[in-house]
Each structure stands twice: as C-alpha cells, then as structure tokens.
Amino acid sequence: MKEDTGISRRGFLKAAAAFGAAMTIEPTLNKVQAAERIISGNHIVKNSDMKYRTLGSGSAPMEVSALGFGVMGMTYNRSQYPDKKMRHRVIAEAVDRGVNLFDTGIIYGPLTNEIFAGEALAPYKHKVNITTKFGHEVINGKATGRQNSRPEVVRQYCEDSLRRLGIDCIPMFYQHRFDPNTPIEDVAGCINDLIKEGKVQRWGLCEVSPETIRKAHAVCPVTAIQSEYHLMHRLVEENGVLQTCKELGIGFVPYSPINRGFLGGCLNEYTVFDTNNDNRHTLPRFRPEAMRANYRIVNVLQDFGRTRGMTSAQVALGWLLHKAPWIVPIPGTTKISHLEENLRTFDFALADTEWQELEQRVAAIPVVGDRYNAEQQKQVGH
C-alpha cells in the first residue's frame, strides 16, 4: 500500500482486531464510534532522546513524554511573543524532539490559545496528546470571572474545544477550577458520559483538595491533577494532594514549573511586563521588591547548577522530575533555545543527597509575596 494511506497490513489487522474488540466490550455504545476511537486514538511516537512516563493507572493511564509543553504563553499572559511562523517552528521542534503532551485551555485568550494549538499541532494531531481545560465561564468569547461546570455547559465546552482543536476526541479534559455551585460528582458523571460517547478519553482536575480528588475519582477515574508546583511553591507536598495522587494511582502535572520563568534567571526587579498581555504584574510575587528578595533563590539554583553544568531552569525541572516517576512538568516557551535547554535536563543524573542539599538551601530563604492576588486565591484548593 502507499504510505499516505496511513495503514499497513499489520495496521489493518490491528484495526480489524480493535473493531472486533469494540463490538464485544462496548455493546451499549455506538459501536462504530467505539471502534473508531480505538483505531484512531493517538499513537505514542517515541524518540530515543526522550524519556516517557505514565500519568494515571487502572482504566485511565496515559503514556506521555516526561516533559510536556505548556502552550498558554504562545499567545496569552506572557507579554510579547514571536510571529506565528516562529511559534509554529517551536512547536514542530518540540514534536520532533519527542514531546507529545501539549496543554492549553479555554480561558487562555479566551479561546485564541486553543485555536493556535489546533493550527500548530494539526500536522501531528494523531501523534500527540492535546489537553485542554473547562471551568472558567466564557460567554460570547469573553471571560465572566465566574466558574461554571454544570453538565450542560461542560458538554458545550467540549464540543467547542473539539472544533477549535480540530480533533475528534480530547485526550484529557481538565476541570480548570472547582465550581462551588456544581457538585464534583455531577462533573465527574458528565465526563464519564463524554468518555462513553467517545468525545473525551480521560480527565483531570486543577488546583483541588484531596477530598475533591477522592470524590471525583470514585465516580470517574482521574488520570492527572494539575497544580502549581516548583521550588518556590510546594503546597501540594503539605496539603495531601501529592500523597493522594500516589495512593490512588493518579498522575501529577506541575504547571509553571519554573515559576512563570522566574527560576530561569531571566526576570528581575527591572523586568517590565506587558500589562495588556501578561498577568505577572498583578501577582504579589512579581512585584519589584518581591523579585529583588526572591532572586536569592535563583542565585542558589545558579550556584548549585554551576558545578554540575546545569542552568537554573534545568535545576528546577530536574528537581521536579526526581520527585516521583508519575510527575510530568509542562514548561512553556516561545524560544527554541529555551526548549533545547529544558529538554537537556535529561542529560543530568544527580544523587538523592544532592537534591536534598538543594532543598535545604532553598528552604532557608523565605519566599516573599503570595503567588496569587486575593481574588485568584479564592479559586484554588477546594
């Protein structure tokens, strides 16, 4: 057969077997849809230079590159960015290097980041996993500032995300923030239905408490929890979230693993953020006086990395990767040089005692400033 048909004799036999399996194991589902989901589900494309990890367990595992890619900053909340051609080039390079987990969300823009992700990843959509998020209410393309995870709204968001991303099934659909007006069991039930219908493969939760994780997981197995986690913010170690993930076999995806770029050493008290497209100027931890005080932590990472040939960003990522084999950070960037830097983290193997030394040195320096303002802080930890 011609290569562009996309299926070999072995692939045909595999497809036939999958079709038969769908007929047998999902009698209550639309059987053609079920078979198509098994046949056309994303295929892990492995690169010998990349390491791979599994998020989740049981009926909801997801094998992904050990470092994912946060797409948000390509268009939203990270000041100026390169033209679309360059941003597409960065995405293509990431895929070529073995990255197959790309993360976006409805609220980023709103909507425009999903559109960008759909366009940039269109040539690779059967080779990568695009995860997106619902929860923040968006009406007529505008964010309302409220949370809305009512089942009928989640369904509509799912349909809209599928269209913007140009895919038939969302590999993982996160609830971006907890909705106090909708029981998490109702949200989980809705996702369970969407999975049965072949529109969603797996789901996750962002910035929630252990209690919420347990309630959700009991209704529909959760594949991953996504929360902020890095050397300057280790709350998930203290509030039971990481322990709950370990106990239930749920993966963990740290967002902002380099603390919104700060731990990479490129930001300081003199950095000017674009107030039209960057939320960092609103965050207490990114006020000039806070950055001046907190730069002592960056200095520790730089000093630690200097004798090991590592940059401070690589130290920050390496520390997270060492924490547990089911943790998959999702750093974002608009620069090929930073992508290369992040991926080169895998070149280094440090002993437990070295990472403990780093933790002790960082812990000796108090972090100045909260990570969120009061309004944003109300939306996390429920």
Side-chain angles (χ1 to χ4, degrees), residues 121-319:
L121 290 164
Y124 323 106
K125 62 183 179 181
H126 296 303
K127 300 179 180 179
V128 302
N129 297 293
I130 310 175
T131 64
T132 190
K133 312 180 195 74
F134 65 90
H136 291 289
E137 186 176 65
V138 177
I139 298 177
N140 297 325
K142 303 291 184 181
T144 67
R146 299 185 294 264
Q147 304 303 313
N148 191 338
S149 287
R150 298 198 315 273
E152 64 272 22
V153 175
V154 174
R155 280 187 164 275
Q156 186 59 56
Y157 285 163
C158 177
E159 296 290 348
D160 294 344
S161 289
L162 287 169
R163 186 184 67 255
R164 284 189 292 268
L165 294 171
I167 55 180
D168 300 321
C169 182
I170 299 173
M172 184 152 60
F173 206 22
Y174 289 100
Q175 184 188 40
H176 206 158
R177 289 292 185 271
F178 180 82
D179 177 4
N181 298 314
T182 306
I184 193 62
E185 294 88 346
D186 292 355
V187 180
C190 175
I191 295 294
N192 198 42
D193 290 341
L194 290 170
I195 290 173
K196 290 178 180 178
E197 294 165 21
K199 295 177 181 178
V200 171
Q201 286 180 298
R202 308 165 193 86
W203 81 305
L205 299 164
C206 302
E207 293 285 4
V208 288
S209 68
E211 180 183 8
T212 297
I213 295 170
R214 292 181 186 280
K215 288 179 179 179
H217 190 68
V219 176
C220 183
V222 174
T223 293
I225 301 300
Q226 185 175 143
S227 293
E228 183 172 349
Y229 182 37
H230 48 74
L231 277 162
M232 287 179 63
H233 184 76
R234 299 172 60 179
L235 181 63
V236 292
E237 296 177 10
E238 304 162 9
N239 63 11
V241 167
L242 280 186
Q243 182 57 39
T244 302
C245 287
K246 181 179 181 180
E247 177 188 334
L248 299 178
I250 297 172
F252 188 83
V253 177
Y255 73 82
S256 296
I258 310 176
N259 190 16
R260 297 169 176 83
F262 185 75
L263 293 177
C266 296
L267 306 176
N268 57 44
E269 62 185 291
Y270 303 108
T271 300
V272 177
F273 300 112
D274 180 354
T275 57
N276 294 316
N277 188 42
D278 203 316
N279 69 336
R280 287 175 289 191
H281 76 281
T282 70
L283 307 178
R285 198 162 289 174
F286 282 84
R287 290 174 182 152
E289 62 275 16
M291 287 200 288
R292 183 186 313 121
N294 291 332
Y295 206 84
R296 290 178 296 168
I297 296 174
V298 177
N299 290 151
V300 168
L301 269 63
Q302 291 171 335
D303 181 66
F304 180 87
R306 191 170 293 118
T307 56
R308 294 165 175 85
M310 303 173 72
T311 65
S312 59
Q314 289 168 340
V315 171
L317 292 174
W319 176 80

Side-chain angles (χ1 to χ4, degrees), residues 2-18:
K2 293 181 179 179
E3 186 175 331
D4 61 5
T5 62
I7 187 168
S8 63
R9 180 176 181 275
R10 178 175 294 180
F12 176 80
L13 293 175
K14 181 178 179 181

